[in-house]
Amino acid sequence: MSQTTRLTDGRKSFEVKKYTFATEVIPRLSCHDPECEERIANGLPVVIPDVNLVASARHWNIDYLHDNIGDGKFMTYFSSSKKFKYYDDKKCPNVKSFKKPMEQEELTFDDFVQKINKGKSKGQRCYLQQTLNETVGKNIVSDFLGFNWNWVTAQQKKNSFGPLTNNMLLIGQEGNITPVHYDEQENFFAQVYGYKRFILFPPEEFPNLYPHPTYHPCDRQSQVDFDNADFEKFPKFRNATGFETIVGPGDVLYIPIYWWHQVESIPIEGHTISVTFWYKGRPTPEKVTYPLNAHQKVAMMRNIEKMIAQALNNPDEVPEFMQNMVLGRYT
Ligand SMILES: O=C(O)C(=O)C[C@H](CCCc1ccccc1)C(=O)O
Ligand SMILES: [Zn+2]
């Protein structure tokens, strides 16, 4: 295995792959610690080990879910590598040369369990990623109602988050990786079973992470492959510096809106079960204060890119247009 480094979740320590960039550890603070509140208020990541957000799901495992989750359908992704690079199906027509980095299929939970058992033999990995909905069985409903809604709703209110958009159930195989991307929502990420490594970068690192264009199926995802970075194409990736942690059962990681993150199910620790709590971002303040902060600039870049792609009415013309506008003039 290439160079490794050791990381702890506060209880166990893990050997993880060392990447080319430096990282600092994400603080792990009690939900009763004023500094924890402060970090969330300031849009900074924090690991919270004692909030019991999903303690009512502490007994969740594959068998329990299989017996109780009901006969609904679960979106499941399949990849021939360890990477599960998300893509937006609706944007595929914009990039003719785009090759889907993974397949997707809606399965019953029973089919999914069979796939994870069979998949191992055929060298194909799978990742269940499905919004929890009303098709789940009554025991799951009562576990869901048992989540610490008081705490998370209090956080939503005091930090002026928008509405809860959804809770996604994630079940991954050991070694699965969700490559580095950012989301446009606030996220309290609750780890239920198994261990996940998170690598985070603040929105200021946008220039070092080279996201795909907004019309690209992999909008919001970095073009840089951490396992094989092309430093010619992406020279500023050398300057990237991030934060990282390991989350284990019961931990909650606050992932601030627009923060980049890569998620790895630790290779030898078995499958992982997680639940996300995604909230729309804070409403834009009436009074804009200057200078604009990094995530306001990311939002601006996204709006400008979308406007240009729409005005040209042809994604293929955008690269040349952007280069003509900037190269040699703003460089
Ligand atoms: O919670 C987050 O934000 C994560 O990135 C968690 C990540 C899976 C997310 C899959 C996904 C990515 C983009 C759109 C919808 C779904 C993991 O845990 O592997
Ligand atoms: Zn994400």
Side-chain angles (χ1 to χ4, degrees), residues 181-183 187 261 278:
H181 68 279
Y182 67 88
D183 300 303
N187 183 2
H261 45 288
W278 270 312

Side-chain angles (χ1 to χ4, degrees), residues 118-305:
K118 223 188 4 258
K120 273 189 195 121
S121 55
K122 281 193 332 222
Q124 198 187 33
R125 289 171 173 273
C126 50
Y127 208 155
L128 183 151
Q129 302 178 354
Q130 173 63 43
T131 293
L132 284 171
N133 55 43
E134 57 296 320
T135 66
V136 299
K138 62 184 183 344
N139 287 335
I140 306 297
V141 170
S142 79
D143 297 338
F144 182 87
L145 294 174
F147 288 170
N148 189 346
W149 292 105
N150 288 344
W151 180 83
V152 74
T153 304
Q155 290 300 329
Q156 173 195 16
K157 298 275 176 275
K158 72 177 86 165
N159 291 295
S160 320
F161 289 177
L164 172 73
T165 53
N166 70 28
N167 298 97
M168 187 174 267
L169 172 65
L170 302 167
I171 305 180
Q173 289 176 294
E174 58 186 22
N176 281 11
I177 293 181
T178 296
V180 62
H181 68 279
Y182 67 88
D183 300 303
E184 295 178 271
Q185 307 215 23
E186 301 285 358
N187 183 2
F188 285 109
F189 184 97
Q191 188 59 11
V192 174
Y193 184 94
Y195 296 87
K196 273 180 170 176
R197 176 194 194 179
F198 272 84
I199 302 169
L200 270 64
F201 299 87
E204 286 80 355
E205 296 276 320
F206 182 104
N208 304 331
L209 290 166
Y210 301 88
H212 290 274
T214 53
Y215 56 76
H216 190 282
C218 292
D219 173 24
R220 295 183 290 107
Q221 330 273 320
S222 170
Q223 299 175 83
V224 183
D225 177 354
F226 281 3
D227 292 317
N228 181 23
D230 179 341
F231 289 107
E232 271 66 56
K233 259 184 94 173
F234 311 118
K236 290 197 185 118
F237 178 59
R238 280 188 207 290
N239 311 333
T241 58
F243 298 81
E244 68 178 310
T245 189
I246 303 255
V247 293
D251 288 338
V252 172
L253 169 65
Y254 168 54
I255 309 173
I257 189 168
Y258 289 107
W259 274 63
W260 298 82
H261 45 288
Q262 172 146 316
V263 195
E264 308 181 359
S265 291
I266 304 287
I268 54 165
E269 293 291 336
H271 62 276
T272 54
I273 303 175
S274 319
V275 175
T276 68
F277 291 68
W278 270 312
Y279 292 87
K280 282 225 184 298
R282 298 167 169 80
T284 34
E286 286 78 44
K287 195 142 177 27
V288 179
T289 55
Y290 294 95
L292 297 181
N293 62 40
H295 78 62
Q296 286 172 311
K297 289 176 181 169
V298 171
M300 255 169 77
M301 287 190 272
R302 292 185 60 79
N303 290 339
I304 291 167
E305 279 184 41

Side-chain angles (χ1 to χ4, degrees), residues 87-105:
Y87 64 91
D88 181 345
D89 235 357
K90 297 186 292 305
K91 295 185 177 177
C92 288
N94 297 338
V95 180
K96 292 169 201 53
S97 57
F98 180 66
K99 298 246 170 320
K100 291 185 178 181
M102 58 186 185
E103 291 305 319
Q104 61 185 57
E105 191 182 349

